[in-house]
Amino acid sequence: MGVRWLTTLADINKIFLVTVSLSLLLTVFLVWSIFSAIANERIREIGIMRAIGARQSHVVLLFFLEVNLLGFVGSLLGVAGGTWLSAHLAANFDLLSSISAGLEIWQQLLIGMLGMLVGAGVCLAGAMLPVNRIKKVEPLLAIKDA
């Protein structure tokens, strides 16, 4: 009877990993499209910044700070929501409560930190192309075209 449960859990784990992988890929594309729209909306602002002396590195730093802040806050909310949901589900399922009870506090913190790093990494990966495109904008053309 126990071997059957382990096989079932292994199958569920495979399905879960495929689902998470697809979600990560779709999230990267979503972040890319959102930051492309943000960059297009702020093209004139970036042109003015460049015209008054901001370097490409300043523009990149500005966008990366914004991406990191959004990624951090989103990851923090995601980890907090996931922790609450898993604790709520663990109270209702015997199998989940025995798994979560076996984790030490440092293991739980490590899982949370890993989740935050992955969330911030997905935001950075999705924002790379729009940031690289926007940093090369000529100031005069950006001001004139916007």
Side-chain angles (χ1 to χ4, degrees):
M1 189 79 157
V3 173
R4 193 177 84 182
W5 279 107
L6 288 177
T7 305
T8 303
L9 284 176
D11 291 341
I12 291 172
N13 190 31
K14 289 176 188 173
I15 293 170
F16 178 72
L17 287 175
V18 168
T19 304
V20 167
S21 299
L22 287 173
S23 297
L24 283 174
L25 183 66
L26 291 173
T27 304
V28 168
F29 284 121
L30 180 64
V31 170
W32 170 77
S33 66
I34 288 171
F35 272 94
S36 289
I38 288 172
N40 288 338
E41 289 293 321
R42 294 172 63 186
I43 195 86
R44 186 168 187 207
E45 173 187 336
I46 291 165
I48 291 171
M49 285 174 25
R50 294 285 315 278
I52 62 172
R55 293 188 217 129
Q56 286 182 357
S57 62
H58 295 133
V59 173
V60 170
L61 180 65
L62 179 70
F63 271 92
F64 277 151
L65 286 174
E66 187 174 336
V67 168
N68 282 328
L69 180 66
L70 289 173
F72 176 75
V73 170
S75 297
L76 186 64
L77 291 174
V79 166
T83 302
W84 176 83
L85 184 62
S86 65
H88 180 69
L89 289 175
N92 296 326
F93 294 105
D94 292 335
L95 181 62
L96 289 177
S97 63
S98 65
I99 291 172
S100 64
L103 291 177
E104 302 275 338
I105 188 72
W106 68 268
Q107 291 171 322
Q108 293 175 2
L109 289 173
L110 184 65
I111 291 169
M113 294 300 287
L114 182 63
M116 290 188 65
L117 285 175
V118 168
V122 165
C123 282
L124 280 174
M128 291 296 269
L129 285 174
V131 169
N132 279 332
R133 181 181 51 84
I134 201 81
K135 76 178 184 181
K136 298 174 183 173
V137 170
E138 289 297 321
L140 186 58
L141 293 175
I143 296 169
K144 185 176 95 170
D145 291 341

